[in-house]
Structures are given as C-alpha cells and as structure tokens.
Amino acid sequence: MTGDELRARQAPLKARYKEDPAAGQVTLSARGRLGAGSVTCQIETGVGKVEAGLHPATGGDGTSACSGDMLLEALAGCAGVTLRAVASAMGLSVPGGYVVVDGDIDFRGTLAVAKDAPVGFGAIRLRFELDTNATAEQVAKLVQLTERYCVVYQTLKNGVPITVSHVVSNSAQASA
C-alpha cells in the first residue's frame, strides 16, 4: 500500500474522529474457552482458534501456544504493521526485514519455587532488522514513529489499569 493509498483510506476515519471524538473510542475484546479437563484455554481469534496451554518450562507438552509467546508475538505483529504503515506514510521503501521480540522470564516465579522471583517478563527487547535503502536519519525517524504509534508497545511500556471480576454460573455452583 502506498502512502497516498493509506492516507486516502485513513482520511475519512481521521475526519470522523476529529468531529466526533467518541467515535474513536472502540472496545476490543478477546474470549477464551476453558479446556475441558485439560490445562488449556481456546482463544477465539479473528482468523481461527488458538489453543493456549502451559509452556514446556512449566509442565506443558509444547503442543499448545504459550500465552507469554503470544504476548511477544502480539508485540511483533503490532510493531511490524505499524512500521509498515509509517514507512508508507513517509514514502520509504522497506521491501523486507524482520521484527524480533525477545523476553526474559524466570519461571520460578510462575511455579512458586522462589518467592523473590517475579511472575512475568523481567525484560522485553524489540529489534527491527530492515531491508531498506533509507538513510540512517530516516530509519531512526521510522523506528521512533513506530514506537510512538504501536498500540501493543505503548500499552506494555506505559502499563494500563486492569480490573478483574468474576461471575459464577448456577451449573458451576451446583457441582461445587
């Protein structure tokens, strides 16, 4: 997609959101169905279902997607799409490359082996390996704007409040 095509596609959206800021507020949702008798959760995605399960380092058999991997994959996907959109808007040619995301995690925290070990990633590294003839200054601006506009990157970097609630169905209460 060229920069002009992207701008043409986004122009009516930008105009609408400027005129009606509430129109830009969208709630995205994800839904998972708990595995019946297994330590899995089937995630319904826009392109099919993904079964999430335990990472092999926590007792999984490696046949299900690890949620930690999925988090890193979400960052790679979002950063890649954002980089492509920004490159198009800037008129930069980036015919290929990779988005690489690495995350360090200490599974002793998740498995309650060490109370001082954190649960979750201790560090995440995002790296772009780009095939481009752009100048160093253009690439620096491309990466800067990608960081600025990547939803997953900004969410992880800045953190957001998360609320937790629960509902118990009658059938679950009856069998408890």
Side-chain angles (χ1 to χ4, degrees), residues 115-159:
K115 291 186 187 237
D116 62 333
V119 176
F121 287 99
I124 296 176
R125 293 171 299 285
L126 171 62
R127 182 175 73 250
F128 299 100
E129 299 173 355
L130 304 177
D131 176 13
T132 183
N133 291 326
T135 67
E137 294 80 21
Q138 290 171 319
V139 171
K141 187 67 171 177
L142 173 63
V143 170
Q144 175 193 21
L145 292 173
T146 298
E147 287 179 38
R148 180 176 177 186
Y149 295 116
C150 177
V151 170
V152 176
Y153 174 85
Q154 286 297 326
T155 301
L156 290 171
K157 180 181 174 213
N158 297 316

Side-chain angles (χ1 to χ4, degrees), residues 33-83:
R33 182 177 186 87
L34 299 177
S38 65
V39 185
T40 61
C41 184
Q42 191 174 69
I43 308 302
E44 302 166 5
T45 74
V47 294
K49 295 180 180 178
V50 175
E51 185 173 75
L54 293 173
H55 187 279
T58 63
D61 62 11
T63 60
S64 299
C66 166
S67 299
D69 289 333
M70 292 167 62
L71 177 72
L72 300 180
E73 291 159 359
L75 176 56
C78 188
V81 169
T82 304
L83 182 128

Side-chain angles (χ1 to χ4, degrees), residues 86-107:
V86 171
S88 291
M90 291 176 66
L92 297 179
S93 173
V94 183
Y98 294 92
V99 179
V100 181
V101 181
D102 297 305
D104 302 326
I105 189 167
D106 185 344
F107 284 115

